[in-house]
Amino acid sequence: MELKDGRVTIQLQPELAPRHVERIKTLTRRNFYDNTPFHRVIEGFMAQGGDPTGTGTGGSPLPDLAAEFSPPSRARFLRGTCGMARSQAPNSANSQFFIMFAPGSFLDGQYTIWGRVVSGMDAVDKIKRGVGQSGQVPNPPDRIRTMRVAADVR
């Protein structure tokens, strides 16, 4: 993932969430994430993106995914963890995801973990923050410049 402040490398974790990893790869290969905003960013918590509308209500044309929650004994939300955003309904993840700035144990077992940042957290840390409790980012938000699957890059 290319951000304004550098490259972020995310290690996919299909052993935790094979369907979610496949969704991320499918959308990435379709260039779905290119130029999408980080619309919700909360200091000390997370940066959320993957919604082409930038409203937090958008997704891809693909159907929502069934939850693939990991028990805390297997995977936890730590700094750099990548999780799928969803509504109150557990089986509503689609294209939106978030990257954790700090541990969030209250999410463990409640949201699907699909990857973790292995390099470039310094660029993630520089994503423009939102305001208020919702963390809505004022215009102009920071955007994912491009996102690619490493295995496809020559």
Side-chain angles (χ1 to χ4, degrees):
M1 178 175 14
E2 291 291 336
L3 304 180
K4 72 178 184 349
D5 291 300
R7 177 172 289 169
V8 178
T9 303
I10 298 169
Q11 177 183 352
L12 300 174
Q13 296 183 284
E15 71 281 5
L16 297 178
R19 291 184 308 274
H20 287 76
V21 166
E22 192 54 43
R23 172 65 54 88
I24 293 288
K25 288 166 62 174
T26 296
L27 293 175
T28 298
R29 287 177 169 136
R30 293 179 181 179
N31 300 323
F32 177 86
Y33 291 113
D34 293 1
N35 201 40
T36 57
F38 283 98
H39 65 275
R40 183 172 176 245
V41 183
I42 300 173
E43 178 65 42
F45 179 30
M46 59 87 215
Q48 183 173 332
D51 174 3
T53 72
T55 64
T57 61
S60 79
L62 301 174
D64 290 348
L65 292 167
E68 294 179 293
F69 300 157
S70 299
S73 60
R74 189 154 184 234
R76 302 188 68 107
F77 280 90
L78 305 171
R79 176 172 164 76
T81 298
C82 301
M84 288 302 276
R86 61 171 176 82
S87 70
Q88 294 295 327
N91 300 319
S92 61
N94 188 291
S95 66
Q96 293 187 48
F97 67 89
F98 56 93
I99 303 172
M100 299 295 290
F101 291 128
S105 61
F106 58 96
L107 300 176
D108 294 348
Q110 305 294 315
Y111 287 80
T112 298
I113 295 172
W114 59 268
R116 66 182 180 93
V117 174
V118 294
S119 70
M121 266 310 287
D122 56 325
V124 174
D125 287 336
K126 294 176 184 170
I127 295 171
K128 181 179 180 180
R129 300 310 199 257
V131 295
Q133 277 191 317
S134 73
Q136 266 325 106
V137 179
N139 282 325
D142 284 349
R143 294 178 175 273
I144 297 171
R145 290 186 172 172
T146 59
M147 195 155 133
R148 299 292 176 264
V149 175
D152 298 345
V153 179
R154 302 271 175 229

